[in-house]
Amino acid sequence: MTITKGPGTEQAIRTWSGRSIPRKEDARLVKGQGSFVDDGGVQGQGFAWFVRSPHAHARIVSIDCAPALEMEGVYAVLTGEEARQQCETPFFAIAPPPGSLMAEWPLAVGKVRYQGDAVAVVLAESRETARDAAERVFVEYEPLPAVVDTVAAADPTTPLLYDDAGTNVVWRGVFDYGDVDWALENADHVVKIDRLHFHRFTSAPLECNGAVVDYDLGTGVVNVMSNYQMPMFASMVIGPTIGVPINKFNFVTKDIGGAFGIKIGFFAQIAALALLSKKAGRAVKWTEYRTEHMLTAGHGNERTFLDIEVPVMSDGTILGVKVRAFDDAGAYLHYEPLGAVIWSQVVPGCYKLKHVRVDYTEVVTNKCPTVPNRGYSRMQHLWMIERIIDIVAKELRLDPVDVRKTNYVQPEDYPYRTPNDCVYDSGDLPRSLDIALELAHAEEWRARQRELGTGSGRRIGIGIGSTLDSGTNNFGQSRIINPDLPFSGNGEAAIVKLDLFGEVNVNIGTTPQGQGHETTAAQVTADILGIAPDMVTVSTGFNQANNSYVGFSGTYASQFAVSGLGAVMGAAEKLRHQIVKLAAYALRAAEEEIDVSDGFARVRGDENRAIPFIGLANMVYANNAGLPAELLSEVDLNARYVYVPPFEVPDPVTKTGNLTLTYASQVHVCVVEVDEETGEVTLLEYAAVDDCGRRINPMIVEGQVHGATGLGIAAALYESLDYDASGQLQQPSFYEYHAATALDIPHVDCGSIESASPFTPNGAKGMGEGGGAPLHAVCSAIQDAVGGDGPVVADSHNHWARVHELLHRDPTASRGVAVTSREGPPRVAQS
Amino acid sequence: MLLEEVEYVRPTNLEDALAVLADVDGAAPLAGGQSLVNVLKNRVASVDLLVDISRLAELRTIKRTPGGGLDVGACVTYDELDRSPLVRESHFTLGEVAAHIEDQQIRNKGTIGGNCCLSDPTNNLPPILVALDAVMNLRSTSARRSVQAAEFFKGYFATALESGELLVSVTVPPMPARSGAGYASLLVAADAKAMARAAAWIQLGTGGLTITSARVALARVANVPVRDAGVEARLVGAEASDAAVRDACSVAAEGLRPIDDVHGSSHYRLEMARVMAHRAVMQAVDQATAGRNGSESARRGGRA
Ligand SMILES: Cc1cc2nc3c(=O)[nH]c(=O)nc-3n(C[C@H](O)[C@H](O)[C@H](O)COP(=O)(O)OP(=O)(O)OC[C@H]3O[C@@H](n4cnc5c(N)ncnc54)[C@H](O)[C@@H]3O)c2cc1C
């Protein structure tokens, strides 16, 4: 990795995009000068503490707040029922019935549905008092049987979480593309896998959730300073419930210590805090604690795949897949059932699968609500596809590299239309795989693996994970879930402004959490305005008062490089245009003659005719007498631009359409050593090749790759969230949940290729989520180590005991897979 | 999680500390605080007065005993054990174990005394101290007594300490020639909690081929480290070979029923106890063969 020196030393360079300039935000962050939500506060604020249920499922018999209210320093207690009385309607439901009947209010009403469900919230003069008081809110519960098994939850005989809905099934849909029955009938082999399970985990952001909410009773404005990552979504969901119009919300974010999608989940807390603030007549500050976070902030989707059937031709061509998928939304629908369609952005994975049928069921259970977690919903599906590829290779004695190369979408196929009409924009998967194999020295390890043979007690496994990071959503896909939803397309807003003394300032609607938006936004702005990134100030975070937002604003779903920077570039172009216009007037030249560079507008070829930015700004802001009205009507040096990606509305009936604009790809290869006696897995080598189109700042891209790799490895080997039969979370703190540290993560060799996207303003693609490649690669490597006759690696989480079981399973027990082959000579695949 | 209000004193000498502990109901010693403060924050225990002993000079020394053993003050931190030339020279494995307890921040604060007095079955030091046959030296205002490590750990969060009593130091006997120690853990992840763990000490005969004496302590198969008499009996007189040691360790933890949890079943843990016992003993053999400090491979194999 090369880091370019600061701009001061390289004034001559005109193009800042594409270079690994150091991140503008790092100086303050490494010096402890960042400003996070818990650093903030408001005069007179109280501190909030939620009273949470110890039960997974119980009826609330009574709540006695009096002992808490008697304590000195306690301002107010808000209960679920009281909050509901203040609300006009439950939170906005994405699902149609029956999902829409699974009503959620700011606090639990009538019953609690998971361990940690909030039944009341206390406000007091200090955190300590609030917590002490919360222990004196006495809640009587009548426990109900807990529903924890995802597949069983759908069974009509299972107890219900929501009596009104009459079922635990939130949403069910069959996604049927091509003709999978034909494919199964005509394939040379059908590989059947009983069950694959993608486990629950979290990205465990370093900073937990938090908010300072101030309901201004005078103006009706609700100020929300928080680390919530998708502010307009929260306003849309909670506004109608608590009776606050969008223009009376003032959402602000500052530095955010990681979010990963998890921080889309806490809108319910924000709503409760707003009502509490209203009741108490003072601002409330809430800082979530780790155990509270682990129990309630949101987990990633857990998905079970059953009865997987894969039609395969003798040459290794995989025709498609048929599967039943059960997704577990947990107790409340915090973004779900959007996940039930979002996976279909990547129906065939990286492959040319033509015939796919997924019978998808999403259920509620008595577990923490799931929320979008880095790689959201696609990762689960892509993991299944990668498992299928390896299992097919293993069962048919084919080389997993060959099977991938045979079935990959080929470089010449782009733009590639998937069976459900998504368009893969660009890429070169075979080359990415070659680079990754080389970086990981796969061939040498293959030889070592053979040498090692049996008897050493150690086994080597080589694994591949090829994955997609689909970015820039078409929100029209929500209509495949619910045709009545008024959403489609996407967008982001930015304002680029020349300020009074000629300063360049950028405001965006995004909520960066480590992705370096200040740096890349400065790079693209600098290129357009002919200045250095140092001369561009990018405001930190989101501020509703800046007016640089649209309904989809925020930072999520791998889209900043496209939508965020698209908006910034559009606004910078607009501003440049104004600068040219104004300079042409000031310098008495034609617009075509004006160059903009180094903070000046100049007449080309005439050194003496130039005006600095400060001079231009002065003309508009403070010295405008006599300027032509026409000029002033066009030039205000305050350019707002909304980038809107080119999308059509998908078809909810056929469940087809272009659901995302870009497809970054990642191919990871890892080498593991497995200890036969214990099942311990050690990563010996790890390579990650990323193709996210044109990289604005390669160093930042690499940082994202490292982060996503660490996260995926951790999930594959160390991090899992499990509930016991009574619905108690087994890993509610870092004692039990081993969040991976630097010691657990090997050196990652990064490679990259740049297949520019033809669909985006800058050739870039979103890439921050990473598509879960390490989960695929690690499982693949463990499978390789387990060997040809062993059982299938059927779980995405493989702690040592599980690997031990794979290695030492009773040979007569089911391996979880079967192959049926057709009689007669092999046929050639029909394309 | 937040601390409830609690009083705090920091006596300047051991006598004063013992006096406060004897006088005040609900007083508890505070050493590194790496467990106690968390326990208090989680409100699973409550204390009225924290008596901070962590800076008492009397409890912070590492001394050589006349026979070549160690006398380690109760408030010596893991980091100090790790970095002590005295410890490394004679009891390499003890330093190595300390070097791998959780992370550096915890190693800077956590103490040998706290690690033992907490008696958490996942703690790293108790099994090695049992295997090394250490002696725990206790004091109260009125008395001093010493307890063998194997007798000190009584149960989950329970020790031989009586109210008002402090652990003041730990005496580790010398490592005779041709003796060696070993320590093997199956960790959930790097430097994290152990699912299975064994510590071993063995003495080789003059020929260097036969084990003449052995102590094997298993952790995580019960609430306290367990000296495995069955394994020890099979080791004594056995050849110091991989096969013989493996055979001896195949009976490890017989009759015990380790816990079941998300990291592994009881059955798995039992099997792992055997694997760890074998590895710890082989490390000890290696160290005994190679000399006091152990060979390079024994060092590197000594994952805590
Ligand atoms: C995240 C985390 C993970 C951890 N993981 C591990 C691990 O894997 N392995 C491990 O071994 N440890 C682990 N620990 C615990 C750590 O090692 C603690 O330091 C240790 O358990 C207690 O030592 P302390 O000096 O901090 O004692 P304190 O927390 O101060 O005290 C612990 C207990 O011992 C009593 N006590 C302390 N000193 C004396 C004394 N001299 N005489 C009498 N009573 C005394 C106290 O009153 C208290 O009851 C972990 C800690 C944390 C925070």
Side-chain angles (χ1 to χ4, degrees):
Chain A
M1 190 175 68
T2 50
I3 297 180
T4 316
K5 287 200 199 75
T9 58
E10 293 183 45
Q11 280 298 341
I13 290 163
R14 286 285 173 272
T15 308
W16 295 97
S17 300
R19 287 149 37 84
S20 294
I21 67 165
R23 299 193 338 152
K24 284 170 79 77
E25 41 279 83
D26 284 347
R28 73 166 186 277
L29 293 174
V30 301
K31 285 191 277 187
Q33 293 166 342
S35 178
F36 296 84
V37 58
D38 192 51
D39 297 325
V42 174
Q43 177 68 27
Q45 72 191 1
F47 294 83
W49 194 280
F50 287 93
V51 179
R52 297 188 176 279
S53 165
H55 302 283
H57 198 189
R59 213 166 61 76
I60 301 169
V61 178
S62 65
I63 303 181
D64 182 6
C65 304
L69 287 166
E70 277 161 17
M71 287 173 64
E72 201 178 309
V74 173
Y75 298 141
V77 181
L78 181 73
T79 65
E81 184 52 39
E82 191 187 344
R84 192 188 65 82
Q85 280 162 19
Q86 305 231 353
C87 292
E88 298 173 11
T89 154
F91 293 139
F92 169 76
I94 289 164
S100 59
L101 302 172
M102 299 174 175
E104 181 177 14
W105 303 92
L107 298 165
V109 176
K111 82 203 271 216
V112 290
R113 294 187 173 85
Y114 72 104
Q115 181 199 10
D117 205 352
V119 293
V121 56
V122 176
L123 191 71
E125 64 183 6
S126 71
R127 283 175 203 203
E128 291 76 6
T129 309
R131 184 183 168 179
D132 290 345
E135 287 186 352
R136 288 163 171 263
V137 173
F138 295 104
V139 186
E140 193 189 328
Y141 295 99
E142 180 189 306
L144 298 166
V147 180
V148 289
D149 184 277
T150 308
V151 178
D155 190 304
T157 61
T158 300
L160 295 177
L161 269 79
Y162 296 87
D163 291 333
D164 289 349
T167 172
N168 290 326
V169 174
V170 179
W171 188 86
R172 183 174 167 210
V174 178
F175 298 74
D176 198 359
Y177 310 113
D179 187 348
V180 80
D181 293 327
W182 172 88
L184 288 167
E185 192 90 348
N186 287 279
D188 293 328
H189 311 280
V190 174
V191 177
K192 294 187 181 171
I193 307 163
D194 301 342
R195 179 179 186 270
L196 295 174
H197 174 251
F198 192 94
H199 76 296
R200 224 171 225 264
F201 59 93
T202 166
S203 297
L206 211 53
E207 179 199 33
C208 295
N209 294 327
V212 179
V213 181
D214 188 8
Y215 201 123
D216 184 326
L217 294 173
T219 60
V221 171
V222 181
N223 293 292
V224 184
M225 200 276 282
S226 74
N227 52 14
Y228 188 82
Q229 71 184 103
M230 203 176 174
M232 300 321 293
F233 178 75
S235 338
M236 285 193 272
V237 172
I238 68 176
T241 301
I242 61 170
V244 177
I246 298 294
N247 68 345
K248 291 287 171 85
F249 274 116
N250 187 25
F251 270 88
V252 175
T253 70
K254 306 197 290 180
D255 287 315
I256 298 179
F260 311 105
I262 303 284
K263 285 179 181 158
I264 294 174
F266 72 100
F267 54 79
Q269 286 90 322
I270 294 176
L273 297 171
L275 294 176
L276 181 64
S277 171
K278 187 178 180 185
K279 177 176 181 183
R282 62 170 79 228
V284 307
K285 179 169 178 172
W286 169 66
T287 306
E288 189 180 51
Y289 282 77
R290 183 58 64 181
T291 291
E292 189 179 21
H293 184 88
M294 301 297 287
L295 282 168
T296 70
H299 301 161
N301 292 60
E302 174 186 355
R303 198 170 298 165
T304 307
F305 302 95
L306 296 181
D307 309 327
I308 302 161
E309 292 181 55
V310 190
V312 191
M313 301 312 283
S314 293
D315 65 352
T317 304
I318 299 176
L319 302 180
V321 55
K322 181 180 161 191
V323 59
R324 293 197 296 144
F326 286 84
D327 193 272
D328 187 335
Y332 294 98
L333 304 177
H334 274 180
Y335 201 72
E336 295 304 321
L338 279 184
V341 66
I342 283 184
W343 68 270
S344 73
Q345 297 167 6
V346 292
V347 165
C350 298
Y351 307 96
K352 295 205 266 188
L353 310 184
K354 296 266 191 304
H355 310 283
V356 179
R357 186 188 298 152
V358 179
D359 180 348
Y360 194 102
T361 303
E362 177 151 357
V363 298
V364 281
T365 58
N366 293 119
K367 304 185 204 168
C368 176
T370 60
V371 293
N373 182 32
R374 196 174 195 171
Y376 178 40
S377 190
R378 294 95 88 213
M379 165 172 67
Q380 286 78 352
H381 181 74
L382 291 160
W383 174 81
M384 174 196 69
I385 301 272
E386 284 296 282
R387 287 282 62 242
I388 286 174
I389 301 289
D390 279 322
I391 292 166
V392 163
K394 173 169 108 80
E395 295 302 312
L396 302 181
R397 303 277 185 259
L398 301 168
D399 179 346
V401 172
D402 292 342
V403 176
R404 284 186 170 81
K405 287 191 175 171
T406 304
N407 290 285
Y408 272 156
V409 174
Q410 298 298 316
E412 62 276 13
D413 296 332
Y414 297 102
Y416 178 79
R417 192 170 285 273
T418 69
N420 61 331
D421 284 351
C422 287
V423 181
Y424 290 180
D425 48 348
S426 61
D428 190 341
L429 290 160
R431 191 154 72 91
S432 294
L433 176 54
D434 283 335
I435 298 173
L437 289 167
E438 199 177 312
L439 281 173
H441 308 101
E443 229 168 276
E444 291 157 50
W445 284 112
R446 210 34 105 200
R448 271 297 301 282
Q449 186 184 41
R450 267 183 243 112
E451 262 166 49
L452 205 61
T454 51
S456 68
R458 324 231 131 212
R459 294 195 200 179
I460 300 242
I462 302 165
I464 302 170
S466 3
T467 202
L468 297 171
D469 189 349
S470 48
T472 310
N473 276 335
N474 177 357
F475 277 86
Q477 64 200 280
S478 62
R479 300 196 196 189
I480 292 175
I481 296 295
N482 181 356
D484 293 336
L485 289 178
F487 302 123
S488 70
N490 198 336
E492 188 52 276
I495 294 173
V496 181
K497 178 179 181 181
L498 196 60
D499 225 324
L500 237 75
F501 285 178
E503 303 94 335
V504 174
N505 202 79
V506 181
N507 290 317
I508 327 170
T510 60
T511 58
Q513 314 119 26
Q515 297 91 341
H517 291 185
E518 291 171 45
T519 306
T520 48
Q523 284 176 275
V524 298
T525 304
D527 282 343
I528 290 167
L529 296 181
I531 50 178
D534 270 5
M535 294 167 68
V536 181
T537 300
V538 181
S539 302
T540 303
F542 180 95
N543 192 328
Q544 208 164 339
N546 288 341
N547 192 30
S548 52
Y549 65 89
V550 293
F552 305 111
S553 282
T555 296
Y556 56 91
S558 298
Q559 60 180 31
F560 178 74
V562 177
S563 59
L565 291 182
V568 172
M569 289 166 72
E573 288 289 359
K574 257 174 126 171
L575 178 63
R576 185 178 195 284
H577 205 70
Q578 292 189 13
I579 288 172
V580 168
K581 204 173 259 303
L582 189 61
Y585 170 82
L587 301 172
R588 293 172 212 288
E591 286 179 30
E592 300 74 48
E593 288 179 277
I594 303 293
D595 276 343
V596 181
S597 63
D598 301 331
F600 283 82
R602 315 169 192 275
V603 178
R604 201 171 306 117
D606 185 347
E607 254 173 48
N608 297 322
R609 287 163 73 199
I611 182 167
F613 282 4
I614 185 173
L616 293 167
N618 185 249
M619 284 170 68
V620 170
Y621 288 113
N623 193 12
N624 53 22
L627 284 189
E630 194 201 325
L631 184 68
L632 281 171
S633 76
E634 287 178 37
V635 176
D636 61 0
L637 301 180
N638 195 348
R640 181 174 188 275
Y641 183 85
V642 174
Y643 169 77
V644 175
F647 280 128
E648 302 290 326
V649 179
D651 182 344
V653 177
T654 57
K655 301 191 174 69
T656 55
N658 194 11
L659 308 185
T660 37
L661 193 66
T662 65
Y663 288 84
S665 63
Q666 286 91 21
V667 180
H668 290 202
V669 171
C670 72
V671 181
V672 301
E673 185 182 274
V674 177
D675 182 330
E676 282 179 359
E677 275 186 317
T678 61
E680 261 177 298
V681 178
T682 310
L683 284 153
L684 300 175
E685 194 117 40
Y686 202 99
V689 175
D690 191 87
D691 181 359
C692 60
R694 200 172 145 241
R695 293 175 302 168
I696 310 299
N697 185 317
M699 178 187 72
I700 289 178
V701 167
E702 215 172 285
Q704 293 291 306
V705 170
H706 279 248
T709 302
L711 202 127
I713 291 173
L717 297 176
Y718 311 117
E719 300 183 22
S720 176
L721 292 164
D722 305 276
Y723 284 86
D724 70 7
S726 68
Q728 297 288 309
L729 182 63
Q730 301 299 291
Q731 300 95 339
S733 81
F734 282 165
Y735 272 102
E736 300 88 2
Y737 189 86
H738 179 83
T741 71
L743 295 179
D744 299 306
I745 306 300
H747 172 77
V748 178
D749 265 314
C750 287
S752 69
I753 58 179
E754 295 196 0
S755 309
S757 174
F759 303 145
T760 64
N762 44 22
K765 309 181 187 190
M767 56 73 59
E769 292 183 82
L775 282 144
H776 320 334
V778 171
C779 291
S780 170
I782 293 171
Q783 184 78 75
D784 190 48
V786 167
D789 303 321
V792 159
V793 173
D795 207 291
S796 53
H797 183 63
N798 290 281
H799 56 67
W800 315 151
R802 191 165 285 151
V803 178
H804 187 261
E805 200 181 309
L806 289 167
L807 293 169
H808 301 279
R809 190 174 298 194
D810 169 5
T812 60
S814 161
R815 295 187 307 119
V817 61
V819 183
T820 49
S821 299
R822 233 168 35 85
E823 304 290 314
R827 294 187 196 176
V828 176
Q830 178 193 304
S831 58
Chain B
M1 298 298 153
L2 295 161
L3 218 47
E4 249 170 338
E5 234 172 62
V6 58
E7 295 297 321
Y8 169 94
V9 287
R10 198 168 77 217
T12 50
N13 61 60
L14 183 56
E15 304 302 328
D16 288 356
L18 289 168
V20 184
L21 285 165
D23 290 350
V24 182
D25 265 356
L30 174 71
Q34 297 303 293
S35 291
L36 183 53
V37 174
N38 289 339
V39 163
L40 294 179
K41 281 185 186 169
N42 276 317
R43 303 193 173 186
V44 286
S46 91
V47 164
D48 299 320
L49 173 66
L50 289 170
V51 182
D52 187 348
I53 57 168
S54 66
R55 298 188 217 180
L56 291 177
E58 301 97 307
L59 305 185
R60 298 196 37 81
T61 55
I62 302 177
K63 286 186 242 156
R64 176 70 71 215
T65 61
L70 291 170
D71 196 57
V72 183
C75 289
V76 168
T77 66
Y78 313 145
D79 189 68
E80 286 161 351
L81 275 175
D82 170 19
R83 289 171 207 273
S84 158
L86 219 55
V87 172
R88 288 289 179 163
E89 184 190 26
S90 57
H91 294 77
F92 180 83
T93 307
L94 180 61
E96 198 56 20
V97 171
H100 289 280
I101 300 179
E102 269 292 326
D103 54 40
Q104 187 61 48
Q105 286 88 333
I106 288 171
R107 294 196 287 272
N108 288 341
K109 299 290 285 180
T111 66
I112 183 171
N115 201 286
C116 292
C117 296
L118 186 74
S119 193
D120 179 320
T122 66
N123 273 5
N124 294 35
L125 289 172
I128 184 68
L129 294 175
V130 169
L132 293 177
D133 208 18
V135 173
M136 319 301 273
N137 304 307
L138 317 183
R139 267 191 69 177
S140 64
T141 43
S142 53
R144 291 166 194 259
R145 61 186 181 119
S146 293
V147 179
Q148 292 296 118
E151 304 300 315
F152 181 77
F153 303 102
K154 292 288 182 207
Y156 195 61
F157 295 150
T159 64
L161 280 168
E162 310 234 327
S163 139
E165 221 173 13
L166 271 182
L167 171 69
V168 289
S169 71
V170 179
T171 305
V172 190
M175 296 279 288
R178 287 183 308 284
S179 74
Y183 191 82
S185 309
L186 180 65
L187 302 175
V188 170
D191 289 359
K193 296 261 177 259
M195 279 176 270
R197 170 168 280 157
W201 174 90
I202 59 113
Q203 174 71 59
L204 294 181
T206 38
L209 295 175
T210 326
I211 298 172
T212 57
S213 176
R215 286 189 295 268
V216 175
L218 304 177
R220 305 300 273 125
V221 289
N223 286 338
V224 291
V226 177
R227 278 278 298 271
D228 196 314
V231 172
E232 290 175 2
R234 282 175 171 234
L235 283 173
V236 173
E239 197 190 324
S241 71
D242 191 74
V245 169
R246 185 184 295 276
D247 183 56
C249 293
S250 67
V251 300
E254 226 163 44
L256 294 173
R257 207 177 174 292
I259 56 154
D260 256 323
D261 72 7
V262 287
H263 299 301
S265 65
S266 180
H267 176 78
Y268 172 72
R269 284 187 148 91
L270 201 67
E271 212 174 317
M272 292 308 108
R274 292 173 183 161
V275 175
M276 293 305 122
H278 168 237
R279 291 183 182 182
V281 174
M282 283 316 294
Q283 257 184 48
V285 167
D286 193 5
Q287 200 178 83
T289 317
R292 226 174 18 171
N293 269 327
S295 69
E296 195 54 35
S297 76
R299 283 189 209 194
R300 274 200 260 103
R303 269 175 84 180

